[in-house]
Amino acid sequence: MKATALCISVCIFLPTQVFSAALETSNQSIASFLEPNNYLEFSTAIVDANVSGNIYRPEAEDLSTLTEVATPNFVRRYVLFNTSLKLQLHPNWSLGFIYDQPFGTNVDYTFDPIPSSPANLINATQFKLDTKNLSSLLGYQPNPFLNFYAGLSHQTLSTQVKISGQSSGLLIDYHGDIQKNSAHGWLAGMSYQIPEYVLKTSLTYRAKIRHKHPFNEQTTTTPTIPLLNLSSNQNTTIETPQSVNLEFQSGITAHNLIYASLRWVNWQNFKIASPLISSSSNNPVMLVDYQNDQWATTLGMAHVFSDKWTSTIDIGRDSGIDNPASTLSPSNGLYSLGLGSFYQIHSNLFIAGGIKYFRLNKAKVQQDSNGSGSLFKPLSSVNNNHALAYGIKMGYRF
């Protein structure tokens, strides 16, 4: 079972939740920290999504009259990176560092301008959010079976929103951005393993991380209407969500093992409010507001063909967050199928690669074409959308 024990932590975490509920782009696994001895790992994944549907667009002659038109593919390709280092400082103590990009999105689409509108106003939306995480972990192993660990996370966040007024039936452009800023959180967990059976399980909790920084916002019109040309630089608070990860693997025969994971993410408490637009309202106006928490599961099997080659296959499900269909939330959960392969170059160095297909479930269409107050336009219908992720990982043991 030695070859299997070496491969599973590599293959199980090839592209898994790189396209899932809300803004999640990583399952925030700490599996690399549970590797034996000293370990260095690097991985990258490319995500290609095909996401589109129909949207309500204002008529040129009457902006209050909406016509249904097809959208382009409005989710852009993105690349993710992950690296980690684990050091066994003492038989009972270990130190680790994990860098990943846990949350993000890149929504970007443009329609042709409406002829009767000002030349610089087009029907367009752009929303980018980027986070980067560096987690530092300290582990205590009182015996070969148990590992208790805790640590701190340093997280950076930046976001940019641009919405043309035509997207909402108004001749106003909205622009808001939060410059790159940092905040801190914590994580803790425990792991239990029986090496001779290749059994390993871990439970990890990550606390929410609160970012409080200025939100630069501006609304503009052409021609100029002073009462509608506003700007604001007020502080706003964004809390990236708390989460719990349960991960499991076990050998079942000399050449096969199973693995599984369960992840909960508290998206229901994640919100991005607009201080500028909220200033004229009794209630905060939300740019992003998710309705439910996310549950994600993966179940897979690995087969060892030789001392050098191992392959995996897994299936996954994501519950989604139940928001109505919009250009920000066109899908509501997904099903996935992944294939991976591992090659042991020599005793200390390996490479693994994988591909995962995501079938995106359609979000429920909201019948009210005016939406629910969000600046992200509701979709009138959703296509059969999907995504593909390709990943590669290298690891070195020393």
Side-chain angles (χ1 to χ4, degrees):
M1 190 66 73
K2 181 178 179 181
T4 306
L6 290 175
C7 86
I8 186 59
S9 61
V10 178
C11 293
I12 184 176
F13 298 115
L14 287 172
T16 51
Q17 271 120 287
V18 293
F19 199 96
S20 50
L23 304 174
E24 182 163 87
T25 53
S26 165
N27 59 11
Q28 296 188 290
S29 170
I30 53 87
S32 58
F33 178 70
L34 302 179
E35 289 292 312
N37 304 318
N38 300 316
Y39 179 68
L40 176 65
E41 177 185 288
F42 172 80
S43 63
T44 183
I46 299 173
V47 183
D48 278 315
N50 186 354
V51 179
S52 61
N54 288 340
I55 195 170
Y56 295 107
R57 173 179 173 173
E59 287 286 349
E61 295 77 15
D62 182 4
L63 295 180
S64 64
T65 301
L66 303 178
T67 301
E68 192 176 35
V69 296
T71 75
N73 180 20
F74 51 80
V75 177
R76 302 305 179 201
R77 170 187 288 187
Y78 54 94
V79 181
L80 301 169
F81 297 95
N82 181 299
T83 187
S84 59
L85 172 65
K86 184 257 179 159
L87 300 173
Q88 193 68 45
L89 305 177
H90 179 275
N92 300 114
W93 294 95
S94 56
L95 178 68
F97 303 93
I98 301 175
Y99 168 85
D100 65 354
Q101 298 165 269
F103 312 112
T105 191
N106 187 4
V107 174
D108 187 359
Y109 72 90
T110 302
F111 294 130
D112 294 333
I114 295 176
S116 64
S117 300
N120 66 334
L121 284 175
I122 57 175
N123 195 296
T125 295
Q126 182 185 76
F127 177 46
K128 292 183 179 181
L129 185 140
D130 180 64
T131 64
K132 296 179 174 62
N133 238 50
L134 178 61
S135 300
S136 304
L137 290 159
L138 181 65
Y140 172 62
Q141 300 89 51
N143 56 53
F145 308 107
L146 289 172
N147 190 344
F148 300 95
Y149 50 87
L152 297 175
S153 290
H154 174 83
Q155 185 179 90
T156 63
L157 179 148
S158 62
T159 186
Q160 183 178 73
V161 184
K162 293 182 180 180
I163 300 178
S164 163
Q166 290 186 20
S167 298
S168 303
L170 302 172
L171 294 181
I172 300 174
D173 277 349
Y174 171 84
H175 177 213
D177 70 85
I178 297 175
Q179 298 297 317
K180 186 176 180 180
N181 64 84
S182 61
H184 297 84
W186 61 274
L187 68 158
M190 66 172 295
S191 172
Y192 177 77
Q193 63 178 347
I194 305 178
E196 56 265 35
Y197 296 111
V198 202
L199 187 150
K200 182 186 295 183
T201 185
S202 65
L203 181 67
T204 307
Y205 170 78
R206 286 182 180 266
K208 64 184 180 182
I209 298 180
R210 176 175 294 181
H211 297 261
K212 188 174 183 179
H213 286 271
F215 193 0
N216 301 306
E217 297 179 281
Q218 187 173 20
T219 60
T220 58
T221 61
T222 304
T224 300
I225 304 175
L227 290 177
L228 298 179
N229 288 356
L230 306 173
S231 63
S232 170
N233 192 25
Q234 303 178 56
N235 281 341
T236 192
T237 299
I238 299 176
E239 293 180 348
T240 54
Q242 61 180 337
S243 63
V244 176
N245 274 24
L246 175 63
E247 299 168 358
F248 171 83
Q249 69 175 59
S250 177
I252 52 176
T253 70
H255 297 283
N256 296 282
L257 60 77
I258 57 172
Y259 57 89
S261 66
L262 174 65
R263 175 167 168 81
W264 168 80
V265 187
N266 184 206
W267 283 112
Q268 195 170 1
N269 291 337
F270 178 86
K271 305 178 188 300
I272 300 179
S274 167
L276 175 61
I277 303 175
S278 300
S279 62
S280 60
S281 172
N282 293 327
N283 298 312
V285 176
M286 296 297 172
L287 299 175
V288 181
D289 185 4
Y290 293 120
Q291 294 188 359
N292 285 317
D293 294 339
Q294 168 197 2
W295 289 89
T297 57
T298 302
L299 177 64
M301 175 176 290
H303 178 74
V304 179
F305 290 98
S306 69
D307 289 341
K308 290 187 176 294
W309 282 104
T310 301
S311 291
T312 65
I313 182 170
D314 60 57
I315 57 174
R317 181 185 181 274
D318 191 300
S319 67
I321 37 78
D322 289 337
N323 274 36
S326 72
T327 51
L328 179 62
S329 302
S331 62
N332 184 35
L334 57 85
Y335 291 92
S336 66
L337 174 65
L339 300 173
S341 190
F342 165 92
Y343 179 69
Q344 189 82 30
I345 299 174
H346 58 70
S347 59
N348 294 331
L349 180 66
F350 62 82
I351 186 170
I355 184 172
K356 182 155 286 199
Y357 171 79
F358 303 89
R359 196 202 75 182
L360 309 181
N361 298 334
K362 296 181 180 181
K364 184 179 179 180
V365 173
Q366 186 171 278
Q367 297 303 315
D368 180 7
S369 63
N370 292 320
S372 57
S374 171
L375 294 186
F376 293 97
K377 195 64 179 167
L379 296 176
S380 57
S381 65
V382 182
N383 292 337
N384 294 316
N385 296 315
H386 63 271
L388 277 174
Y390 317 87
I392 190 169
K393 178 176 291 188
M394 297 190 69
Y396 179 68
R397 307 176 191 279
F398 60 99

